[in-house]
Amino acid sequence: MGFPLVAVDSLVKRYGTFLAVDGISFSFPEGSVFGLLGPNGAGKSTTIKILATLSLPNRGTATVGGHDVVRQAAAVRELIGYVPQAISVDGALTGLENLKTMAKLTNVPRSVRRSRIDDVLDLLDLGEAAHRQASTYSGGLIRRLEIGQAILHRPRLLILDEPTVGLDPVARRKVWDHLTALRREHELGLLLTTHYMEEAEVLCDTIAIMNRGTIVAQGTLQDLRTQAHHPDASLDDLFTHFAGAKEGSPEPGSWKEARRARRTARRLG
């Protein structure tokens, strides 16, 4: 059977006395779409940062393509593309210049850089905008350019942290149409977080719902319905069932997270 594309086992991450990730475990195979869902402050972004080798766990293990994210971080980085919540393109550069810069940074061989960039421009429908400054792009175009940057080195896993936050419904649909085409053409595995439940319900093969650092439910949509004893429930209903705040408990999230989300939404809007 070989290694799963991603395998997380008993992962723990603390920030001082705050337990951000509390012993979570999950895995998924090559070419699949895995949704990591949860309210703000649930630990999703922390988990993603560990998988992207941007943060070290305190305990537990995580592997990508069989490579440990701590001991073999360089090998993991070759296998992943990462699209963070914050905008990651240079607005002063054109789309083409952004792609050229990223191709160099991710060590795409000089002999194939131009063809890889042309493929990305074609696949993500960025050709007409390629010679314009990224600062003139709409939110949807910015996200598509960021995705293009993340796949230039042909990763096996694309990590997407709230990829459609702040986009209107038309732009969101275009982004996901392109991601679906990417997955089909390159057999790319996707790990995503999103607050749009209808998006996750349609796109994800398997889902894990996090709340306060733990995974409270995971499996296919049908698995989640079975666990909740609601055979016809929507993912929105299931999310509320598993991750809804209890009466009298504080709402999840923080000032910093709310400010970051709203800033990103304004810049993409």
Side-chain angles (χ1 to χ4, degrees), residues 190-211:
L190 304 180
L191 188 157
L192 68 102
T193 72
T194 180
H195 285 297
Y196 299 114
M197 294 299 108
E198 75 281 6
E199 201 170 71
E201 186 168 342
V202 171
L203 295 164
C204 295
D205 300 307
T206 52
I207 293 164
I209 298 176
M210 291 189 71
N211 196 20

Side-chain angles (χ1 to χ4, degrees), residues 96-194:
L96 182 59
E97 288 168 341
N98 271 286
L99 290 170
K100 286 181 177 178
T101 299
M102 186 58 66
K104 293 177 183 177
L105 291 173
T106 54
N107 298 315
V108 175
R110 184 186 299 269
S111 60
V112 298
R113 278 180 197 165
R114 187 65 220 201
S115 63
R116 293 272 185 93
I117 289 171
D118 287 344
D119 286 346
V120 163
L121 291 173
D122 181 59
L123 186 61
L124 296 174
D125 197 21
L126 290 166
E128 292 184 5
H131 298 285
R132 284 169 35 207
Q133 280 188 316
S135 60
T136 70
Y137 284 14
S138 66
L141 276 175
I142 290 171
R143 276 294 187 243
R144 280 149 55 191
L145 178 59
E146 290 174 321
I147 292 166
Q149 290 182 150
I151 63 172
L152 279 169
H153 64 298
R154 301 284 172 87
R156 289 164 58 190
L157 172 68
L158 182 59
I159 299 174
L160 303 141
D161 195 2
E162 296 286 350
T164 56
V165 64
L167 302 185
D168 64 61
V170 174
R172 283 171 52 205
R173 174 57 65 90
K174 285 184 178 179
V175 167
W176 284 113
D177 284 348
H178 288 299
L179 284 170
T180 300
L182 266 177
R183 182 189 176 195
R184 183 171 57 247
E185 183 163 330
H186 296 291
E187 297 184 357
L188 187 64
L190 304 180
L191 188 157
L192 68 102
T193 72
T194 180

Side-chain angles (χ1 to χ4, degrees), residues 8-19:
V8 172
D9 184 28
S10 304
L11 200 66
V12 172
K13 178 63 179 181
R14 292 181 179 274
Y15 295 101
T17 59
F18 175 64
L19 186 58

Side-chain angles (χ1 to χ4, degrees), residues 218-232:
Q218 66 175 304
T220 65
L221 180 60
Q222 191 55 51
D223 290 337
L224 299 181
R225 287 170 172 161
T226 299
Q227 292 168 39
H229 305 291
H230 291 292
D232 300 316

